[in-house]
Amino acid sequence: MSSSTSTSTLPSGLAVLTTFPDVLFIPEMIFGGLVWILVASSKVPDSMLQGWVMFVSVFCFVMSFSLLCLYLCGAHGGGGSCWVTLDFICHDVAALFYLSASVLEAYATYSFHELSSLLAQEYRENIAAVVFAFVATLLYVIHKVFSLLRWKSS
């Protein structure tokens, strides 16, 4: 895999799937989709907290999928400066959103367990959602850092 710091442009076509950090689109969508599924399948005692987690997981999934499709189609035309900036901003926002959603999901899971309002299966689903949300956060942060390096070199 080629390094993002060696080039200041975004790859297009299937090269997106072979360059770092762009290859992170796939695991970001997998773990974000898992968060989405797990939160959607659990009972929601506090709809406000888990509503934010659902919004973040759906928003980031759609954003990542849209960017991946645009890069695969070559819609960015070789990755001018504005596309590199857009890539950094999108991953910066996603990392911040997922960090807040991960912390809120962890707090909700902890407080729901303390109130004994969740069954054992639902509690395990929420724990899995917390773990996957923190993994997605880590992936978005890594992608953000390397997008920042690409943006600074452009």
Side-chain angles (χ1 to χ4, degrees):
M1 291 186 191
S2 65
S3 173
S4 67
T5 56
S6 63
T7 179
S8 63
T9 62
L10 295 167
S12 59
L14 292 178
V16 172
L17 302 176
T18 62
T19 58
F20 193 80
D22 302 308
V23 73
L24 292 176
F25 276 120
I26 303 301
E28 287 167 358
M29 289 189 301
I30 290 171
F31 285 104
L34 287 170
V35 172
W36 180 2
I37 291 166
L38 288 168
V39 171
S41 70
S42 67
K43 290 188 178 165
V44 182
D46 188 359
S47 59
M48 197 63 131
L49 291 179
Q50 289 189 313
W52 174 249
V53 177
M54 273 300 283
F55 168 76
V56 168
S57 61
V58 172
F59 173 78
C60 291
F61 184 88
V62 169
M63 181 208 55
S64 294
F65 184 74
S66 299
L67 281 175
L68 179 63
C69 287
L70 287 170
Y71 295 164
L72 284 172
C73 295
H76 58 288
S81 177
C82 64
W83 281 92
V84 174
T85 305
L86 175 71
D87 184 61
F88 168 68
I89 291 171
C90 286
H91 287 94
D92 187 36
V93 168
L96 180 66
F97 276 13
Y98 250 112
L99 179 61
S100 68
S102 301
V103 171
L104 285 175
E105 182 65 19
Y107 172 74
T109 302
Y110 175 75
S111 63
F112 297 155
H113 181 265
E114 291 294 314
L115 298 172
S116 300
S117 63
L118 293 178
L119 300 172
Q121 179 65 27
E122 293 167 342
Y123 182 64
R124 281 186 236 127
E125 286 178 3
N126 282 329
I127 288 174
V130 169
V131 171
F132 292 144
F134 276 111
V135 170
T137 302
L138 179 64
L139 290 168
Y140 277 109
V141 167
I142 292 169
H143 202 150
K144 169 191 149 178
V145 168
F146 284 94
S147 293
L148 175 65
L149 293 174
R150 179 171 30 207
W151 176 63
K152 284 187 153 206
S153 68
S154 67

